[in-house]
Amino acid sequence: MSYETLLVEQRGAVTLITINRPQALNALNAQVLADMSAALAAYDADPTQHCAVVTGSEKAFAAGADIKQMADKEAADFFLEDFFSGWTSHVAATRKPWIAAVAGFALGGGCELAMMADFIIAADTAKFGQPEIKLGVAPGMGGSQRLTRAVGKAKAMEMCLTGRMMDATEAESAGLVARIVPASDLLDEALKTAATIAAMPPMAAMINKEMVNLAFESTLTQGLVAERRMFQILTATEDKKEGMAAFVEKRAGVWKGR
Ligand code: CAA
């Protein structure tokens, strides 16, 4: 399957998705949304694929939603199309794990796309920001919500109100990114981490992801109940029997994915 705005390849059990609109610093237009939704849906549906990496170029992960595509639209168009909703209903709804590997600019929708991933690995060149205020708008793909949950109110508010960028070091210390690596190692490190995840029992990976994400949606009591039930459900899988037997027998587990 080929895409107009993405390069997609499979490296073993890892799907690598590269945003490929260099002429617009990977700005996220309707075609990128359609392609990204289709590529992640194909990844989710492919039983041979167990982790994905979404990346951009050296200069830009993505410099935001496509401003040229939005410039002449009217409020009624945005409302009637429920503009940006596909990022939530398709991209963020991916059930299997995926990592954002970010170098260069991750601004506006680019920062928001990175935050939809399960975690971010950043190159030392990465720059994150929500500069929508400078365009007379506000984040529309989750920036005000996910950034606040990731870095807390003080930094999120300052970034949204001033539009300033956060470099990789600040993003790591604030909790926005899992890890910083030299730009030249970004893809290798992200793929290596993805391969580690892809080698885990797949249902356990999906449920770990779901439970960590639930921590942002539930009370502690509700989250703890759900976590216990999920633990109990996982004990019914063949991979639980295999994982515990492999530990006792001092060998690597061989997963069935059920
Ligand atoms: N949309 C459309 N085109 C964009 C773009 C965007 N978000 N960002 C960059 N481009 C285009 C530029 O227009 C330019 O195209 P042309 O050569 O045809 O003029 C090309 O990419 C290269 O960009 P620059 O010449 O500006 O590159 P630079 O190195 O001088 O600056 C930058 C880089 C600081 C990232 C600058 O491009 C910039 O500020 N971009 C816009 C960032 C932004 O405001 N993002 C938020 C968008 S709104 C949003 O995302 C809403 C939301 O919540 C989802």
Side-chain angles (χ1 to χ4, degrees):
M1 178 82 187
S2 67
Y3 299 91
E4 204 177 300
T5 63
L6 306 177
L7 302 172
V8 180
E9 57 184 293
Q10 294 185 349
R11 307 257 184 115
V14 174
T15 300
L16 173 62
I17 300 174
T18 306
I19 309 168
N20 186 34
R21 291 192 74 212
Q23 71 286 5
L25 297 185
N26 289 337
L28 306 171
N29 63 7
Q31 191 60 47
V32 181
L33 171 59
D35 289 349
M36 189 66 76
S37 301
L40 286 171
Y43 156 62
D44 245 357
D46 186 336
T48 71
Q49 297 299 291
H50 298 302
C51 194
V53 172
V54 173
T55 195
S57 68
E58 256 174 54
K59 180 161 183 192
F61 176 75
D66 192 314
I67 299 167
K68 291 168 189 167
Q69 192 175 56
M70 296 187 291
D72 295 328
K73 269 184 186 285
E74 305 213 344
D77 301 319
F78 287 105
F79 177 77
L80 293 170
E81 288 172 30
D82 201 8
F83 201 75
F84 291 142
S85 64
W87 293 98
T88 299
S89 58
H90 291 92
V91 176
T94 305
R95 294 183 71 205
K96 291 181 187 171
W98 60 286
I99 301 168
V102 175
F105 297 112
L107 302 178
C111 184
E112 294 167 304
L113 172 61
M115 292 189 292
M116 288 174 210
D118 296 312
F119 58 93
I120 300 170
I121 298 180
D124 48 13
T125 58
K127 287 191 164 58
F128 300 88
Q130 298 292 160
E132 288 88 345
I133 192 165
K134 296 181 186 172
L135 302 169
V137 289
M141 285 166 52
S144 62
Q145 304 304 300
R146 289 197 178 92
L147 187 65
T148 307
R149 282 164 170 77
V151 306
K153 179 182 169 184
K155 274 191 190 292
M157 189 69 92
E158 189 205 6
M159 286 175 70
C160 288
L161 287 179
T162 67
R164 83 163 172 91
M165 293 184 217
M166 194 187 254
D167 66 16
T169 308
E170 185 182 4
E172 186 188 33
S173 64
L176 179 59
V177 313
R179 196 149 57 86
I180 307 176
V181 297
S184 54
D185 298 345
L186 177 66
L187 201 52
D188 282 353
E189 285 294 330
L191 288 169
K192 212 190 299 170
T193 306
T196 301
I197 295 168
M200 298 294 169
M203 272 184 65
M206 291 171 74
I207 286 180
N208 272 278
K209 164 178 172 144
E210 196 175 335
M211 286 302 97
V212 174
N213 283 331
L214 183 65
F216 293 99
E217 310 275 356
S218 65
T219 64
L220 180 61
T221 303
Q222 291 164 337
L224 290 172
V225 170
E227 183 195 72
R228 266 198 322 277
R229 294 291 171 260
M230 285 302 186
F231 173 87
Q232 292 157 1
I233 286 167
L234 278 172
T235 64
T237 62
E238 294 181 39
D239 283 348
K240 171 266 175 188
K241 289 189 192 72
E242 167 65 5
M244 295 199 180
F247 175 81
V248 172
E249 293 161 20
K250 300 189 188 298
R251 59 174 176 81
V254 180
W255 312 123
K256 292 215 166 70
R258 50 191 304 116

